[in-house]
Every structure is written in C-alpha cells, then in structure tokens.
Amino acid sequence: QVQLVESGGGLVQPGGSLRLSCAASGSIFSINSMGWYRQAPGKQRELVAAISVGGSTTYADSVKGRFTISRDNAKNTVYLQMNSLKPEDTAVYYCNQGRTTGGTYYAGGSWGQGTQVTVSS
C-alpha cells in the first residue's frame, strides 16, 4: 500500500508563495498519476491539480496561473508550487496517488495526513 507524506505548509501573507512536497513510498511512483487536493473548514475536499505519468497537468479554475504541479520520479516526490496566494486558498492540502483516464484524474484510496496552509495578514 502506498504511503504519502506531505510537507511544506505554513502561514503566509496574501500574495506570498509556498511549495508543498509529497513523498510517496510503497508503490512504483513513476507509473502513477498524482494529485493535490485541499479541504477548507466546512467544505468538501476538492482537486486542485493533477499530473499524469507523462507529465500532463490539469488545474482547478481557481488556481490556474498561480499554482504549478510537478513531479520528480527519481525522488518519488510530487510538488505544488503556490504563488500569489489568497485567503481563500486556506485549507488542509493532501496529495493522492491515482490514475488519469481521458484527461480526467481519478483519486486512489490512499491519503497522507495533510499539511495546513493558512493565508492571512
């Protein structure tokens, strides 16, 4: 079973940047798609960004142009670079290992513990 460990969250002012990391183990990282989700208090978990095996990326409309997902297969790690952060980006961020079919990311069953991102002045 895959284990996922997120890191890199914290408190940042509006307009600031953070880079999240997710280290995966227990699976063949390079043959799986990866996704970043977030969940704000009182809201459903939502897909923020995903990257396929081939490096194709998709983003939620709310983060397009501000967030960038990338992966390093040699390190079994996926990243989420977040720029121009807004208070509405405040949430717990989770990574997920899943699959991409027809350009759509489908979440797998394993989740990390999440990392808190708080955007506030």
Side-chain angles (χ1 to χ4, degrees), residues 38-41 86-93 116-120:
R38 66 185 180 187
Q39 187 166 20
K86 304 176 180 180
E88 51 263 43
D89 295 318
T90 295
V92 179
Y93 284 70
Q116 176 70 47
V117 171
T118 302
V119 184
S120 175

Side-chain angles (χ1 to χ4, degrees), residues 10 29 87 99 109 121:
F29 181 81
R99 60 182 176 87
S121 56

Side-chain angles (χ1 to χ4, degrees), residues 9-23:
L11 173 64
V12 63
Q13 293 187 342
S17 298
L18 283 174
R19 188 176 84 150
L20 306 183
S21 300
C22 172

Side-chain angles (χ1 to χ4, degrees), residues 65-111:
R66 300 189 298 121
F67 291 11
T68 302
I69 188 171
S70 61
R71 63 190 297 161
D72 185 337
N73 290 340
K75 296 182 178 180
N76 288 359
T77 299
V78 62
Y79 304 97
L80 186 68
Q81 178 67 43
M82 305 186 296
N83 298 328
S84 302
L85 282 161
K86 304 176 180 180
E88 51 263 43
D89 295 318
T90 295
V92 179
Y93 284 70
Y94 302 88
C95 73
N96 177 269
Q97 188 173 83
R99 60 182 176 87
T100 300
T101 302
T104 300
Y105 180 82
Y106 296 91
S110 297
W111 299 89

